[in-house]
Amino acid sequence: MSGKILLRGGRVLDPSQKLDDVRDVYLVDGQVATIGERLTPGDDAHVIDCDRLVVTPGLIDVHVHLREPGEEHKETITTGARAAAAGGFTAVCAMPNTDPPVDDPAAVGFVVSEGRRAGAARVYPVGCISVGRRGERLALIGEMVEAGAVAVTDDGSPVMDSGLMRLALEYSLAFGIPVADHPEDLGLSGRGHMNEGLVSTRLGLPGKPNAAEDTHIMRDLLLAELTGGRIHLQHVSTALGVEMIRQAKARGVRVSAEATPHHLILTDEAVEGYRTEAKMNPPLRSVADVAAVRAGLADGTLDVVATDHAPHHYDEKEAAFTDAPNGVVGLETSLALMLTRLVGEGVIDLPTLVDRMSCQPARVFGLLGGTLAPGGVADVTVFDPEAEWTVDPKAFRSKSRNTPFGGWTVKGQARCTIVGGRVVFER
Amino acid sequence: MSADRIAVMDETAVRRAIARMAREIVEKSGGSPTLALMGIQRRGVQIAALLREEIERAEGLRVATGTIDITLYRDDLEAIGPRPVIGETVLPPGGVDDRVTVLVDDVQFTGRTARAAMNELMDWGRPARILLCVLVDRGGRELPIQPDIVGRHVEVLSGQQSVEVMVPELDGRLGVDLVYSRPEVA
Amino acid sequence: MNQMTSPLGKDLVGLERLSGQQIRAILDTAEPFKEISERRIKKVPVLRGKTIVNLFFEASTRTRVSFEFAEKRLSADTVNIAAASSSVSKGETLVDTARNLEAMRIDMVVMRHGSSGAARFLADRIPSNVINAGDGWHEHPTQGLLDMLTIRDHMGRLDGLKVCIVGDIRHSRVARSNIYGLLKMGAEVAVCGPQTLLPQGIGDLGVHVLSRVEDAIQWADVLNVLRLQLERMQAGYVPSLREYNRIWGVSTARLERAPRDLLILHPGPMNRGVEIDSDVADGPHSVILNQVTNGVAVRMAVLYLLAGGQPEKAEAAKQGGEA
């Protein structure tokens, strides 16, 4: 199908071109050819009526766990890429905490080829910072970048050794990739299972204080400042963390940061009743933290929305809270939740949302897309901003159903996902 | 008095019945010096107290009394649910072993209360003999247990009427009423 | 649903969600049950034919024996399952355990588990009544109840009393159940211990926070002294048991400076010479053995109140098989 596609009469929203108007978008041979009014397509063009729909540069999720290799019962690269496409994403960045971890060029190559084979959303590999994610010595970062890695991280775990983190930031400078960190001081949070506060005290669950995240955010900012390297802070969840990033950006530190839909919407009250679907790392925090993360996303302190899509098999979550693994799936709910709760509640406007879910992710990780400028790759998301639906985890394309949003009624749904000029999902 | 209740016995009638029942207890127990009265919670306790006064007054006998609460011996826990208030079981001084023990209740109906009370009494000890004494026998037995001493037999239309015994401590007066139960309005 | 059929609902998971009225109902119901344990035949037939499983994932002789006595004195049929000898140690998950219990048509399950929330987890998944015999650091409701019953026995009331819980509050389910219960019954509650053993936000539960045991003794009418587990020292929460005893131990010397006679409780088992000195534990103000006696009565009351607590069944019986 990668011939010609005309997206007719949609609200074309491309913050990269400051464009927000009803237009036709013409895709030819995998590229954006023209954007204009009442375009006349070639006879062989596939015309998609986009009346009352929004047409945006393809959404990109820079933080997903696809579990392959090693935990294919939770997710595979194929099911993950399809879930992404169904959620309106044209590209995802796969975290390397698989089994074995993606810490060498061969493993990176495996992710690249499996991603191509899936033929859904693009799958970009992210490599490990350290060999085996053990936090001891640098992995083959240069060779992994050559093989297709777009960033490095030991996500799932922080880099506890500040000296190693400094080396990673310095060494990565040569390759122009960000070093992504899961900021958490394990000494402070190691035994915790949820946010430390009144709820954890009431439930009798060991908590993780904000300070566990804040100390590492501060450290990473200082190291980025020291080295001139590019730090990308993953799933920022604390008010002070947001503020420290804001100040660092003002000083010119090369930092980018993520907010997840769950940290933008839920507080630790969601854990009430020992709901393991609300167990993730970093944990859901306080009302004040949610407000700060929202403000950070609105003013651009937090550059991107990323889901931290973390599939787990149902029987692993069907356990006592302290026995259940961390993580929630997000690919198939992210767009709708952001539209319903962030745009719907007036925290950000629609162009800002598209910026945080498409333009900024492409910029931060140096990926294709993030724009509909003619000549660019034809990665496009078409969604219906008014479609109301109820989140039914059983209907997910993902292999896993671990979401705290099951049963929520949300507004906004992907209608068509186009990757490289090819329709990979249509609803 | 409202139209849906009819007095069956007034205070005088109850006291007359108590006096007769007291005599029968003494006769049936053969004037036993080991006689003990066990009032079944709640109104059986008051009836037992009246009987004791009467026996002590008329016969000059000292009568030991106790109370028995059958809540934990009922057979309908799941049907009615637990009653958070469980009355006290208090044995007469010296217990019930080898004594002529009279179970006293206000009304006898199905016989299930008497069954439960006997079972409980047996857990407490081994009475020489158990007598069952009730102020009103309203019929409607579900178990083959008959009272030995009865104040009055009252004919009751099953499902439409019930018998209520009033005692001064709980109800402000002494008497027995026949109460018409209203059909449930759907 | 008709609350009359089951004053407590299906389960007893904790005291946090009970009302003061429900707690009072349990304590009042426990009174007549005390007396059953004094009888020659220490048994009433109220739970005849009910099957109860005591499922203990953590070792606890005291609580298990107390529950077992309570069950047997109510004529229930009981089975004890200890984690060490069960399929649990062979990797069976809690949800499988729950399904197996359900398949065996158990009427009631008494569970002790190391994970906070485990009792709630089980209660949500099986139709049987579930009684929490301690879940992680969360709650130990029958201990909270028996502590309150013991205090009420000796002080005549709970309302307006000052009760201080001394020791490892952070890891203590006993502390949480005491706090929830006592506050609902109108008592003033304080906690006292090294800050390392006090959880974040504890003050927001409505309790006073005292850092020195001398202050606790000045303030309180009742001290509930918690066991300091050896593991806490190994994990570094306190530098040594000796130091803990010197600074937070409840000793006669300290109690002599109290402005009034204090009632001393301890949920057991005691570390004599650590959190409590022997002469205090065995002294005139200690009601530690009364707690043990009351434990059986309180558990009988809870079992009794929950036993009729199958509202569907009760409703059906009343409505002649409908519903």
Side-chain angles (χ1 to χ4, degrees):
Chain A
M1 274 203 16
S2 141
K4 298 168 179 165
I5 298 175
L6 182 74
L7 301 170
R8 174 168 279 162
R11 173 182 173 188
V12 179
L13 215 169
D14 180 5
S16 78
Q17 308 180 64
K18 303 229 173 352
L19 175 62
D20 183 1
D21 218 337
V22 175
R23 289 281 191 282
D24 290 353
V25 178
Y26 196 30
L27 311 174
V28 178
D29 294 337
Q31 294 190 331
V32 180
T34 334
I35 297 181
E37 290 178 80
R38 293 180 224 287
L39 297 180
T40 316
D43 291 343
D44 54 346
H46 174 46
V47 178
I48 298 173
D49 179 15
C50 295
D51 183 34
R52 279 187 264 272
L53 302 180
V54 178
V55 178
T56 72
L59 306 182
I60 299 169
D61 188 343
V62 299
H63 192 148
V64 304
H65 297 268
L66 301 187
R67 305 298 189 209
E68 190 179 359
E71 294 182 296
E72 290 84 355
H73 61 294
K74 299 183 180 188
E75 195 81 284
T76 65
I77 291 172
T78 300
T79 58
R82 286 184 187 153
F89 290 99
T90 56
V92 294
C93 296
M95 293 299 118
N97 60 333
T98 48
D99 183 17
V102 179
D103 65 352
D104 66 18
V108 169
F110 168 77
V111 176
V112 170
S113 65
E114 282 300 302
R116 287 214 181 99
R117 226 162 56 88
R122 296 176 197 272
V123 178
Y124 294 109
V126 175
C128 290
I129 291 173
S130 66
V131 176
R133 297 175 60 241
R134 284 192 293 272
E136 290 162 1
R137 57 195 177 86
L138 292 183
L140 299 168
I141 294 176
E143 288 187 14
M144 287 195 292
V145 171
E146 283 179 356
V150 296
V152 287
T153 183
D154 275 358
D155 180 50
S157 324
V159 176
M160 282 301 290
D161 180 341
S162 302
L164 182 70
M165 193 63 184
R166 172 188 180 160
L167 291 179
L169 284 162
E170 289 174 336
Y171 191 70
S172 299
L173 274 170
F175 312 105
I177 57 160
V179 176
D181 192 26
H182 163 122
E184 180 181 9
D185 184 322
L186 295 178
L188 272 173
S189 75
R191 275 175 290 228
H193 288 271
M194 68 170 295
N195 183 49
E196 180 172 311
L198 181 58
V199 180
S200 68
T201 290
R202 280 185 37 247
L203 295 179
L205 288 170
K208 304 182 188 215
N210 281 22
E213 185 170 338
D214 295 337
T215 52
H216 263 223
I217 288 178
M218 192 67 213
R219 178 203 71 172
D220 286 349
L221 293 170
L222 292 172
L223 293 176
E225 200 160 11
L226 172 69
T227 60
R230 280 179 58 198
I231 186 76
H232 177 74
L233 293 163
Q234 299 178 300
H235 40 56
V236 175
S237 71
T238 67
L240 188 56
V242 173
E243 183 51 33
M244 288 190 291
I245 295 166
R246 187 176 286 124
Q247 290 173 10
K249 283 191 165 180
R251 290 200 304 277
V253 177
R254 298 174 73 201
V255 54
S256 55
E258 298 168 1
T260 71
H262 44 273
H263 291 117
L264 286 161
I265 293 171
L266 300 174
T267 67
D268 57 1
E269 295 280 343
V271 175
E272 198 66 55
Y274 301 93
R275 291 188 57 202
T276 58
E277 319 90 89
K279 181 177 179 181
M280 68 278 292
N281 193 20
L284 297 171
R285 305 266 188 203
S286 69
V287 176
D289 291 311
V290 170
V293 174
R294 287 179 164 211
L297 185 72
D299 72 11
T301 299
L302 306 180
D303 304 77
V304 306
V305 174
T307 62
D308 194 5
H309 178 80
H312 288 293
H313 202 242
Y314 74 89
D315 60 8
E316 293 167 293
K317 281 284 194 179
E318 184 81 355
F321 197 84
T322 47
D323 296 335
N326 284 307
V328 296
V329 293
L331 283 169
E332 291 168 81
T333 49
S334 177
L335 174 62
L337 289 168
M338 295 303 294
L339 286 167
T340 310
R341 300 302 296 269
L342 273 288
V343 177
E345 291 174 16
V347 179
I348 54 174
D349 58 18
L350 193 52
T352 305
L353 178 65
V354 175
D355 181 65
R356 305 291 190 265
M357 292 186 77
S358 176
C359 312
Q360 295 305 324
R363 179 186 66 78
V364 169
F365 275 54
L367 310 176
L368 295 173
T371 178
L372 293 176
V377 67
D379 285 9
V380 187
T381 300
V382 180
F383 63 87
D384 180 349
E386 299 299 323
E388 251 193 24
W389 58 290
T390 301
V391 177
D392 174 12
K394 285 199 283 297
F396 286 167
R397 271 99 181 145
S398 168
K399 275 195 172 184
S400 294
R401 280 101 182 79
N402 49 306
T403 174
F405 299 109
W408 283 38
T409 298
V410 288
K411 211 165 103 171
Q413 193 171 42
R415 282 276 178 264
C416 179
T417 309
I418 298 169
V419 176
R422 202 172 71 88
V423 175
V424 297
F425 175 80
E426 231 175 337
R427 179 182 272 121
Chain B
M1 185 173 298
S2 63
D4 56 3
R5 60 170 63 226
I6 299 167
V8 177
M9 300 171 83
D10 60 10
E11 179 169 348
T12 318
V14 172
R15 290 203 180 278
R16 205 176 290 131
I18 293 282
R20 180 175 52 75
M21 289 159 74
R23 280 197 306 280
E24 283 186 45
I25 287 170
V26 176
E27 280 170 29
K28 288 209 158 118
S29 64
S32 167
T34 63
L35 181 65
L37 301 182
M38 292 291 285
I40 299 175
Q41 295 276 15
R42 295 176 65 189
R43 286 173 179 72
V45 176
Q46 273 76 36
I47 304 298
L50 292 173
L51 288 167
R52 171 191 180 157
E53 280 170 29
E54 181 61 26
I55 294 169
E56 291 185 348
R57 191 188 59 78
E59 309 286 332
L61 275 175
R62 297 291 301 163
V63 183
T65 51
T67 62
I68 189 159
D69 183 278
I70 59 132
T71 307
L72 302 174
Y73 286 75
R74 294 177 72 108
D75 56 10
D76 54 359
L77 176 69
E78 285 186 6
I80 63 156
R83 298 195 312 175
V85 182
I86 300 171
E88 229 180 340
T89 292
V90 181
L91 289 196
V96 293
D97 284 350
D98 301 322
R99 300 179 88 145
V100 175
T101 306
V102 184
L103 284 171
V104 181
D105 206 357
D106 54 347
V107 179
Q108 184 166 20
F109 180 19
T110 62
R112 290 180 192 271
T113 301
R115 191 282 305 166
M118 282 191 283
N119 281 7
E120 177 161 10
L121 211 50
M122 308 289 215
D123 279 356
W124 282 101
R126 190 178 182 283
R129 188 173 168 201
I130 299 177
L131 293 171
L132 179 60
C133 169
V134 297
L135 180 62
V136 177
D137 179 357
R138 56 149 292 175
R141 218 71 82 230
E142 294 170 3
L143 297 178
I145 294 173
Q146 311 306 337
D148 300 289
I149 298 141
V150 179
R152 166 124 14 139
H153 292 274
V154 176
E155 287 295 321
V156 173
L157 290 172
S158 173
Q160 296 172 41
Q161 295 174 322
S162 60
V163 171
E164 281 184 13
V165 172
M166 269 72 57
V167 296
E169 292 83 350
L170 299 172
D171 312 295
R173 66 190 172 94
L174 190 58
V176 178
D177 286 356
L178 190 60
V179 181
Y180 287 83
S181 41
R182 275 178 239 266
E184 286 295 323
V185 180
Chain C
M1 271 299 138
N2 193 333
Q3 274 302 304
M4 189 196 84
T5 55
S6 169
L8 303 183
K10 182 174 87 72
D11 312 294
L12 180 65
V13 167
L15 301 186
E16 188 182 10
R17 298 197 184 270
L18 291 190
S19 65
Q21 204 182 355
Q22 287 172 312
I23 292 171
R24 190 170 293 110
I26 300 171
L27 299 183
D28 292 348
T29 304
E31 293 292 343
F33 283 113
K34 286 182 189 168
E35 166 266 315
I36 290 168
S37 300
E38 308 297 328
R39 295 184 188 180
R40 193 171 58 186
I41 295 177
K42 297 177 177 55
K43 209 175 179 79
V44 292
V46 72
L47 296 189
R48 204 159 56 94
K50 297 264 185 196
T51 43
I52 304 182
V53 169
N54 298 313
L55 184 58
F56 277 68
F57 291 86
E58 280 183 347
S60 159
T61 307
R62 182 177 302 245
T63 303
R64 185 183 53 73
V65 167
S66 179
F67 266 109
E68 203 176 338
F69 272 131
E71 292 154 3
K72 293 201 157 134
R73 285 173 191 177
L74 297 176
S75 305
D77 297 315
T78 69
V79 177
N80 294 322
I81 303 176
S85 64
S86 75
S87 46
V88 174
S89 56
K90 297 168 193 140
E92 183 176 282
T93 63
L94 195 50
V95 68
D96 286 331
T97 304
R99 289 190 186 126
N100 278 295
L101 291 172
E102 188 183 345
M104 286 187 279
R105 304 290 183 265
I106 304 297
D107 293 299
M108 304 175 110
V109 180
V110 174
M111 184 171 76
R112 159 71 59 92
H113 196 283
S115 296
S116 299
R120 169 76 181 267
F121 181 94
L122 190 69
D124 286 348
R125 281 165 182 77
I126 59 173
S128 324
N129 307 112
V130 173
I131 299 169
N132 183 5
D135 63 327
W137 310 347
H138 175 228
E139 282 223 46
H140 189 355
T142 56
Q143 180 73 44
L145 290 164
L146 76 88
D147 289 348
M148 285 190 279
L149 184 64
T150 309
I151 296 170
R152 195 174 77 169
D153 283 353
H154 287 86
M155 310 295 281
R157 67 194 165 104
L158 291 168
D159 188 44
L161 277 186
K162 291 176 167 176
V163 181
C164 185
I165 308 164
V166 183
D168 180 3
I169 311 297
R170 180 192 289 265
H171 303 99
S172 175
R173 49 195 170 218
V174 176
R176 284 175 179 79
S177 288
N178 262 276
I179 290 169
Y180 298 136
L182 285 164
L183 289 176
K184 287 194 170 136
M185 298 306 285
E188 255 193 276
V189 182
V191 294
C192 173
Q195 200 67 40
T196 49
L197 294 176
L198 303 181
Q200 275 284 311
I202 186 78
D204 294 336
L205 293 179
V207 302
H208 305 280
V209 180
L210 306 172
S211 50
R212 303 289 299 208
V213 75
E214 292 84 355
D215 298 341
I217 288 168
Q218 284 298 313
W219 178 83
D221 301 310
V222 179
L223 290 187
N224 196 346
V225 185
L226 301 180
R227 171 181 171 80
L228 184 79
Q229 290 177 318
L230 194 60
E231 303 95 273
R232 303 306 169 219
M233 190 197 74
Q234 286 154 352
Y237 289 99
V238 290
S240 86
L241 297 183
R242 200 184 53 146
E243 176 163 310
Y244 184 86
N245 177 254
R246 284 176 71 100
I247 299 175
W248 284 282
V250 176
S251 63
T252 307
R254 289 201 165 109
L255 288 177
E256 275 166 1
R257 289 194 283 277
R260 57 189 89 82
D261 281 347
L262 291 184
L263 196 68
I264 307 291
L265 286 83
H266 190 299
M270 285 184 281
N271 291 314
R272 289 169 181 262
V274 181
E275 70 271 2
I276 190 165
D277 286 1
S278 279
D279 48 359
V280 175
D282 304 329
H285 305 304
S286 160
V287 288
I288 295 169
L289 292 175
N290 305 66
Q291 288 174 271
V292 177
T293 308
N294 278 345
V296 178
V298 154
R299 289 171 180 127
M300 288 169 84
V302 168
L303 290 163
Y304 167 69
L305 290 173
L306 288 177
Q310 292 169 305
E312 322 84 84
K313 229 177 187 173
E315 285 298 297
K318 260 186 291 184
Q319 294 167 11
E322 296 279 318

